[in-house]
Amino acid sequence: DQVRDWHMNSNLPLDKGTVESAVIASRLSRWPLLVDPKGHAARWVCGAVGGANLRVMSASDPNLALAVATAWDAGAVVLVEDVSDPPGQTIAFL
């Protein structure tokens, strides 16, 4: 089944909250904002999206806003890493 594949391919934990979040995210027409302090969602997203449809960027990258806007128009995914706590200006433009 799909959950087992996620666990095997992306090391997605099998706890109820993680699995429910992954199921919901996988059924949306757009990727949601995922808060991921342990890195589980990042590995899962990379495994689920991968390839040319995924761009991984640092929150401090000066081209982040442009990359998000471009990805939005193209239906692509931007995975933003190293977001500070609280994220502040990093996601203010969203």
Side-chain angles (χ1 to χ4, degrees):
D1 83 320
Q2 190 174 32
V3 173
R4 184 181 61 238
D5 290 344
W6 290 337
H7 177 68
M8 297 294 289
N9 297 328
S10 303
N11 294 323
L12 189 74
L14 295 176
D15 64 275
K16 183 178 178 182
T18 301
V19 170
E20 286 177 352
S21 295
V23 168
I24 291 168
S26 70
R27 287 181 168 64
L28 297 172
S29 60
R30 297 242 185 218
W31 285 94
L33 173 65
L34 302 170
V35 178
D36 185 28
K38 296 182 182 177
H40 299 298
R43 285 190 301 274
W44 178 72
V45 168
C46 288
V49 177
N53 208 30
L54 174 67
R55 184 161 181 192
V56 180
M57 300 185 74
S58 172
S60 62
D61 190 312
N63 297 314
L64 180 61
L66 177 61
V68 170
T70 303
W72 182 276
D73 290 340
V77 175
V78 176
L79 177 64
V80 182
E81 297 182 319
D82 305 320
V83 177
S84 63
D85 184 23
Q89 295 299 316
T90 303
I91 60 171
F93 63 88
L94 297 176

